Amino acid sequence: NEITLAFRRQRKRAANRDKVNLARCRRTAAANMPAVSKGDGMRGLAVFISDIRNCKSKEAEIKRINKELANIRSKFKGDKALDGYSKKKYVCKLLFIFLLGHDIDFGHMEAVNLLSSNKYTEKQIGYLFISVLVNSNSELIRLINNAIKNDLSSRNPTFMCLALHCIANVGSREMAEAFASEIPRILVAGDTMDSVKQSAALCLLRLYKTSPDLVLMGEWTSRVVHLLNDQHMGVVTAAISLITCLSQKNPDEFKTCVSLAVSRLSRIVSSASTDLQDYTYYFVPAPWLSCKLLRLLQCYPPPEDGAVKGRLVECLETILNKAQEPPKSKKVQHSNAKNAILFEAISLIIHYDSEPNLLVRACNQLGQFLQHRETNLRYLALESMCTLASSEFSHEAVKTHIETVINALKTERDVSVRQRAADLLYAMCDRSNAKQIVAEMLSYLETADYSIREEMVLKVAILAEKYAVDYSWYVDTILNLIRIAGDYVSEEVWYRVIQIVINRDDVQGYAAKTVFEALQAPACHENMVKVGGYILGEFGNLIAGDPRSSPLVQFNLLHSKFHLCSVPTRALLLSAYIKFINLFPETKTTIQEVLRCDSQIRNSDVELQQRAVEYLKLSSIASTDVLATVLEEMPPFPERESSILAKLKKKKGPGAVSVTELEDNKREGGELNGGADRGPDSASTPSPSGDLLGIRAAAPIGAAPASAGSLLVDVFSEAGIAVSSAAVNDEGFLRFVCKNNGVLFENQLLQIGIKSEYRQNLGRMYLFYGNKTSVQFASFTTTVSCPGELQTHILPKGFPHFKGYCGAQIQQVLNIECLTDFIDAPLLNIKFRYGGGLQNLTLKLPVTINKFFQPTEMASQDFFQRWKQLSQPQQEAQKIFKANHSMDTEVLKAKLLGLGTALLDNVDPNPENYVCAGVIQTKSQQIGCLLRLEPNAQAQMYRLTLRCSKDLVSQRLCDLLAEQF
């Protein structure tokens, strides 16, 4: 009985919950409906809503809705024509039913008919129904567009606003095609009401976001920009949202908005709360407009006009001063509005990164928020200070708050705030405070949330490596890291410590001693066993003189962990054992017994079994000299970018690793980890011991490597901020002779992709510039030039010389016309600013003569007849050369087709040979070309023969194509 009663009570509670949820849904749907006043007189709608609310169950509601739907359907299909009031009432009921979650499949035509009404309430319901229920693929869209056009041309501001709202709500491409050219005219017209201008600006913004290619401002640009001077603040607020979006895509077209935005911002900032009464929010004048103005200015570099820049600096100083003033209200809305403007102003100061006084003041202001009782303010302050730490002007000011940030890391209750605190510690770290910050981060790791442990481990590993002047400290830190958070130490971390120990002679003995002591702990993480096995196998002899760490003691310590480890770790330990036999011959018998046991040579895992068998045989039959040669110490690892740093970049996203490292190199003179102590031979024989992260030896971006030992470029290197060499980079040029799409150039900052198509003597090339960092490139400019005689041979046209900011990706189109045959290629020059330094890059664009080939099909007889006709010495070019790539048949065919010629089958008597034919299309003439490629697989050689109808073209093609095979 008790169980039955409990079940009944539970069922009753569930039923009550369903009733509450049902009532809540009804209230929500009713709230979304237009207000039904006595003047509207839609009593039937009010009764229907009341009936729905009074339904006791879902079944009763569905029954009432079905009854109403049947009634509405019969009214719409009846012989008697309905008046506007009835249509409005029934359409409103359908809309209410739809908002309750039921499908509506009729009534659309009646809603469209309401659009032609002259009564506001009827037209409003019609537009509301269409905005909610009509999709962009509807057959009625043409009728709707006609009704909207009529309302837009009616000059009735109420009807115009309803039409604009409908366009924005639907926002389809069809709507954009129909009205994108009409709305700008309404927006800038002198006789347009202010309320209509606001709606037009926001409607245009919606269409631009959905179909940017259809919204072309053109002649309206300057007039739209001058809306920033409009007397009506609502118009300015709406217009600035549109201008900001347009400026992000076309900064040059709208650059005149900067001075107007500064002027408007100055008037707002200097005004009292009583000056803008209608737009003052809790004693803060026009906070939304101020934030939008500051955000718009972040789309551009600092103003070049001294007067405008001075006025803007004055505005920013005023905003910072107002933040120090006592609040005029205790309401949270007042502080929110005030702080919103302040944070946008600080973002603009950080974006400009050119005013040391403002940067330091911004840092001090953010420092006050670090101990604010509001969690969101603390979070935003930490986030902004992370960016400030990357500026050379404010880095020292950020460091003064280190104790507060460490305290936040330890005591904050919100995990997201703790994560931002860890990010800030990482960003403010330099040589002066590295040990303190690493120690604090290690301490926090023991109690850190699991969600951020892996990232914390990577950051600790990077900082320990970057600022390790004392390598014993580095080894201690990494081993402590493995001990505290071994599960979150990725392979990159322990790989890196192995590389550094192997490359540093002075730390090998200390590392062997330290790892030996760490392995003696009862509970030892598997990553510690990996590091221990590797280091003791290589350098265990350095501590073997101590009886406490004799060879047998070392072996027994490692082997005691063997049965607890995974297969890859066991394989590593077996390799350490065979190294022990080479280092310590006295351990040979003991280790051979281990290798000989059934658990090794008959192991179910083939890798372990093979190692055991091979190592056992090697130790048995090889002489001491052979064993020493096979098992000699690992050579130093080549220099390269830190794999840990690469992993953190991948985890956080491009550019997310703090740019502080870049600035540190500038401040520290680029000498990292004691690299200045190296001898004179360091230039010819680069050693990782002088540069853990591979920073100092990095070549400038875009420059050729200085030697075989030169490193890949590191974004965070000193070279990354210097002016890069403008020498022509043609590394990717030859890769595009046989293909049209791919990546032309890539480094840690920028990726340039190409997609091209050619037809007869015309070509079109799409250039994609991908910003791989998290910050925009300033002053990003691109130009195309044709050196020397190339100007008369090839004509690049329609290339928009871009100048502005480069965010995630921008695209440019280059149209090319081939006037006559040519040798050289056009040059693409790219300049931009990143991290305070100018990057200058010049690339060869892959426009080659073969791109204008027209494939020509020929029979065998025609081919050789034409071949004999092209017998003049200047018409033929031949080259015999060694194969540079695989001689695979399918690869060769793909490359020959990629040249643009037609690959002719069954033409050459030797089936191993390849024969091609094509015509080069230029504006002045057509040049016939025949190609014969004869591969010799045994000798790995080719003979390439070309004959062309124009002198010297065959030689140019032969030189170009020989590099492809």
Side-chain angles (χ1 to χ4, degrees):
N1 289 337
E2 290 180 1
I3 294 174
T4 304
L5 288 172
F7 179 72
R8 286 177 181 171
R9 284 195 298 270
Q10 184 177 357
R11 220 170 33 168
K12 189 175 181 180
R13 283 196 296 270
N16 289 335
R17 278 198 305 272
D18 291 341
K19 288 180 181 178
V20 171
N21 291 335
L22 186 61
R24 186 181 293 118
C25 290
R26 291 173 187 151
R27 287 195 298 272
T28 303
N32 289 329
M33 294 297 296
V36 181
S37 65
K38 292 181 179 179
D40 290 332
M42 286 196 292
R43 185 174 176 277
L45 175 63
V47 170
F48 175 60
I49 292 175
S50 178
D51 290 346
I52 294 294
R53 286 179 172 177
N54 293 330
C55 289
K56 303 297 183 183
S57 64
K58 187 70 176 175
E59 292 76 14
E61 178 185 310
I62 293 173
K63 184 177 179 181
R64 178 68 181 88
I65 287 173
N66 288 337
K67 179 182 177 182
E68 190 65 37
L69 287 174
N71 177 53
I72 297 172
R73 198 185 298 270
S74 66
K75 294 291 184 182
F76 284 166
K77 290 184 177 180
D79 296 333
K80 186 179 179 181
L82 295 175
D83 59 7
Y85 162 76
S86 299
K87 286 182 183 177
K88 177 184 70 171
K89 180 178 66 175
Y90 293 133
V91 167
C92 214
K93 286 182 179 182
L94 291 176
L95 185 57
F96 179 72
I97 292 170
F98 177 79
L99 292 177
L100 286 176
H102 301 272
D103 291 332
I104 299 297
D105 56 2
F106 69 99
H108 299 75
M109 193 62 201
E110 283 70 19
V112 173
N113 291 337
L114 286 175
L115 300 184
S116 59
S117 172
N118 289 324
K119 291 185 178 181
Y120 169 75
T121 54
E122 294 175 9
K123 193 181 288 286
Q124 179 199 25
I125 295 299
Y127 274 125
L128 183 61
F129 185 93
I130 288 165
S131 299
V132 175
L133 275 92
V134 175
N135 60 49
S136 59
N137 299 322
S138 173
E139 297 175 354
L140 301 173
I141 203 73
R142 184 172 295 177
L143 292 174
I144 296 169
N145 286 352
N146 288 335
I148 292 174
K149 284 180 181 178
N150 292 334
D151 284 336
L152 289 179
S153 59
S154 68
R155 312 310 297 172
N156 183 320
T158 306
F159 292 174
M160 292 177 74
C161 285
L162 284 176
L164 290 168
H165 296 168
C166 181
I167 296 171
N169 284 329
V170 176
S172 63
R173 189 169 182 84
E174 290 77 9
M175 289 282 190
E177 289 173 348
F179 304 109
S181 59
E182 175 71 11
I183 297 174
R185 185 186 59 77
I186 296 173
L187 177 60
V188 300
D191 58 345
T192 304
M193 299 272 295
D194 292 333
S195 58
V196 178
K197 285 185 178 181
Q198 294 179 65
S199 298
L202 296 177
C203 179
L204 200 59
L205 174 61
R206 161 73 167 158
L207 294 182
Y208 184 78
K209 287 183 175 179
T210 55
S211 306
D213 56 314
L214 298 178
V215 181
L216 304 174
M217 300 309 297
E219 57 183 307
W220 309 111
T221 299
S222 61
R223 298 175 69 181
V224 169
V225 169
H226 276 83
L227 288 174
L228 293 176
N229 276 337
D230 198 279
Q231 294 181 353
H232 194 277
M233 297 288 281
V235 174
V236 180
T237 305
I240 198 169
S241 298
L242 173 64
I243 294 169
T244 301
C245 187
L246 293 170
S247 298
Q248 289 170 348
K249 297 291 180 67
N250 307 293
D252 282 349
E253 288 185 31
F254 293 88
K255 61 185 177 182
T256 54
C257 71
V258 174
S259 58
L260 296 178
V262 171
S263 175
R264 174 65 79 167
L265 180 65
S266 176
R267 278 181 275 164
I268 295 173
V269 169
S270 59
S271 65
S273 59
T274 55
D275 295 342
L276 303 170
Q277 290 185 356
D278 293 339
Y279 288 87
T280 296
Y281 180 78
Y282 287 88
F283 303 101
V284 181
W288 284 275
L289 180 55
S290 300
C291 289
K292 288 184 177 184
L293 287 166
L294 290 164
R295 205 168 295 147
L296 171 62
L297 292 171
Q298 291 176 48
C299 298
Y300 292 92
E304 296 178 357
D305 188 323
V308 176
K309 186 175 182 180
R311 196 172 183 183
L312 178 57
V313 169
E314 185 180 337
C315 289
L316 295 173
E317 288 178 342
T318 305
I319 293 172
L320 293 175
N321 291 336
K322 285 186 175 181
Q324 299 290 338
E325 296 174 0
K328 297 179 181 179
S329 172
K330 293 183 179 179
K331 297 279 188 180
V332 67
Q333 291 91 338
H334 172 74
S335 60
N336 284 347
K338 195 174 174 182
N339 291 331
I341 298 172
L342 175 63
F343 276 105
E344 282 298 340
I346 290 174
S347 296
L348 181 61
I349 292 168
I350 295 171
H351 169 74
Y352 285 166
D353 194 20
S354 59
E355 296 292 332
N357 180 47
L358 288 178
L359 285 163
V360 173
R361 286 195 60 188
C363 181
N364 295 334
Q365 181 62 50
L366 291 172
Q368 296 177 18
F369 287 143
L370 293 180
Q371 294 179 310
H372 199 278
R373 59 185 178 85
E374 179 61 42
T375 304
N376 289 336
L377 277 180
R378 296 197 300 274
Y379 179 92
L380 291 171
L382 289 167
E383 189 174 47
S384 298
M385 289 184 80
C386 283
T387 314
L388 275 174
S390 65
S391 171
E392 60 179 328
F393 302 120
S394 54
H395 183 78
E396 292 299 322
V398 172
K399 284 168 57 179
T400 61
H401 302 283
I402 185 170
E403 296 299 332
T404 308
V405 179
I406 290 173
N407 186 58
L409 186 67
K410 294 177 179 178
T411 60
E412 276 289 349
R413 297 173 64 183
D414 191 310
V415 61
S416 62
V417 180
R418 292 199 297 272
Q419 187 166 4
R420 292 286 81 80
D423 290 343
L424 180 53
L425 283 176
Y426 176 79
M428 69 168 63
C429 187
D430 59 20
R431 199 176 302 282
S432 64
N433 56 18
K435 289 193 175 182
Q436 179 189 3
I437 287 177
V438 169
E440 293 293 348
M441 294 177 84
L442 277 174
S443 174
Y444 172 64
L445 253 179
E446 299 193 31
T447 56
D449 296 82
Y450 296 114
S451 60
I452 63 173
R453 283 197 180 187
E454 183 179 2
E455 188 180 323
M456 290 282 293
V457 166
L458 290 173
K459 288 179 175 176
V460 170
I462 290 169
L463 293 179
E465 177 181 344
K466 181 172 173 54
Y467 299 110
V469 178
D470 178 5
Y471 280 87
S472 60
W473 172 75
Y474 170 74
V475 171
D476 289 338
T477 301
I478 298 300
L479 294 184
N480 202 17
L481 191 64
I482 295 173
R483 179 187 62 79
I484 294 171
D487 290 337
Y488 299 91
V489 175
S490 60
E491 289 185 336
E492 287 81 2
V493 174
W494 74 265
Y495 286 173
R496 191 63 177 161
V497 71
I498 294 295
Q499 293 173 15
I500 290 168
V501 170
I502 285 178
N503 291 349
R504 292 285 301 191
D505 298 338
D506 56 343
V507 79
Q508 291 165 357
Y510 181 81
K513 177 177 177 295
T514 308
V515 79
F516 175 78
E517 294 172 352
L519 286 172
Q520 292 176 340
C524 189
H525 196 274
E526 188 168 334
N527 281 334
M528 187 72 78
V529 177
K530 292 177 182 177
V531 175
Y534 204 110
I535 290 180
L536 291 180
E538 293 291 332
F539 311 115
N541 59 312
L542 299 178
I543 60 171
D546 190 334
R548 294 171 295 180
S549 54
S550 63
L552 276 176
V553 172
Q554 291 183 43
F555 169 74
N556 289 330
L557 180 60
L558 282 177
H559 196 55
S560 66
K561 315 290 183 185
F562 187 88
H563 65 287
L564 301 171
C565 298
S566 62
V567 170
T569 306
R570 292 185 186 187
L572 186 150
L573 288 178
L574 289 179
S575 298
Y577 296 168
I578 191 67
K579 291 259 186 179
F580 270 37
I581 293 178
N582 178 45
L583 292 175
F584 316 117
E586 63 269 28
T587 63
K588 181 176 181 179
T589 305
T590 306
I591 293 174
Q592 283 182 334
E593 289 177 2
V594 171
L595 296 174
R596 195 178 288 116
C597 67
D598 287 349
S599 62
Q600 304 302 336
I601 61 174
R602 296 185 180 180
N603 196 291
S604 58
D605 186 87
V606 66
E607 175 67 23
L608 292 179
Q609 183 186 115
Q610 183 175 353
R611 289 198 185 209
V613 171
E614 290 179 355
Y615 291 163
L616 179 62
K617 202 67 175 176
L618 180 65
S619 65
S620 302
I621 64 173
S623 64
T624 306
D625 293 339
V626 172
L627 203 61
T629 302
V630 174
L631 302 173
E632 64 181 352
E633 282 187 14
M634 286 290 291
F637 286 89
E639 293 188 69
R640 56 183 176 222
E641 180 191 31
S642 170
S643 56
I644 314 174
L645 193 60
K647 184 175 177 67
L648 184 61
K649 289 184 208 173
K650 185 176 179 181
K651 182 177 178 61
K652 297 283 283 183
V657 180
S658 172
V659 191
T660 310
E661 298 171 31
L662 180 147
E663 302 296 340
D664 287 340
N665 293 330
K666 189 156 60 176
R667 284 191 293 270
E668 305 289 347
E671 296 299 332
L672 184 64
N673 301 330
D677 299 333
R678 301 188 59 228
D681 296 330
S682 61
S684 59
T685 311
S687 169
S689 61
D691 189 5
L692 285 174
L693 281 176
I695 290 180
R696 190 182 65 256
I701 295 174
S707 67
S710 294
L711 305 182
L712 294 175
V713 179
D714 189 348
V715 181
F716 308 101
S717 66
E718 185 177 10
I721 61 170
V723 177
S724 301
S725 170
V728 177
N729 185 315
D730 59 357
E731 292 177 358
F733 176 80
L734 291 175
R735 295 201 307 268
F736 287 81
V737 173
C738 296
K739 65 176 184 178
N740 291 333
N741 306 331
V743 176
L744 176 65
F745 174 83
E746 183 170 16
N747 62 17
Q748 280 80 359
L749 299 179
L750 180 68
Q751 182 188 69
I752 303 175
I754 279 186
K755 183 179 180 182
S756 52
E757 53 189 15
Y758 296 87
R759 183 174 298 172
Q760 296 185 349
N761 70 315
L762 301 176
R764 175 172 292 176
M765 180 179 290
Y766 297 86
L767 293 162
F768 302 90
Y769 305 91
N771 182 347
K772 297 173 65 177
T773 72
S774 63
V775 295
Q776 288 189 333
F777 295 152
S779 304
F780 191 93
T781 61
T782 60
T783 54
V784 170
S785 60
C786 296
E789 297 180 355
L790 186 61
Q791 297 180 13
T792 60
H793 292 206
I794 186 173
L795 181 62
K797 54 185 180 179
F799 185 77
H801 289 190
F802 182 88
K803 183 173 182 181
Y805 275 69
C806 177
Q809 188 184 79
I810 58 175
Q811 174 186 332
Q812 286 180 290
V813 181
L814 172 64
N815 295 314
I816 305 161
E817 183 179 5
C818 180
L819 305 178
T820 184
D821 59 287
F822 58 95
I823 302 176
D824 292 328
L827 301 179
L828 171 67
N829 181 257
I830 304 155
K831 294 180 182 178
F832 59 92
R833 287 193 173 275
Y834 174 78
L838 177 66
Q839 305 294 329
N840 189 0
L841 182 66
T842 302
L843 304 173
K844 260 190 179 182
L845 284 177
V847 181
T848 49
I849 188 65
N850 67 289
K851 298 295 183 184
F852 302 95
F853 261 128
Q854 189 75 25
T856 305
E857 296 291 339
M858 301 178 74
S860 176
Q861 182 179 355
D862 296 333
F863 179 88
F864 285 104
Q865 182 180 354
R866 183 62 177 152
W867 183 269
K868 291 177 182 177
Q869 291 173 356
L870 301 173
S871 57
Q872 296 296 324
Q874 299 89 343
Q875 294 177 327
E876 180 182 287
Q878 189 175 88
K879 201 166 192 177
I880 299 173
F881 54 93
K882 192 81 173 174
N884 297 318
H885 308 285
S886 168
M887 299 185 75
D888 181 76
T889 303
E890 294 303 317
V891 173
L892 288 176
K893 287 182 178 179
K895 287 186 175 181
L896 289 169
L897 290 171
L899 292 175
T901 57
L903 183 59
L904 307 179
D905 296 325
N906 304 318
V907 171
D908 197 288
N910 185 347
E912 300 294 326
N913 295 344
Y914 300 90
V915 174
C916 300
V919 176
I920 296 175
Q921 303 280 349
T922 73
K923 186 176 182 180
S924 58
Q925 67 180 126
Q926 295 183 341
I927 305 170
C929 296
L930 302 178
L931 178 150
R932 191 179 189 188
L933 182 66
E934 300 167 84
N936 185 336
Q938 291 183 343
Q940 290 290 297
M941 300 282 288
Y942 289 104
R943 180 166 66 181
L944 175 64
T945 309
L946 277 129
R947 292 189 179 183
C948 297
S949 60
K950 185 174 181 181
D951 297 350
L952 303 179
V953 173
S954 54
Q955 187 60 51
R956 296 173 188 171
L957 278 172
C958 191
D959 295 337
L960 185 67
L961 304 185
E963 299 290 335
Q964 304 301 312
F965 302 104

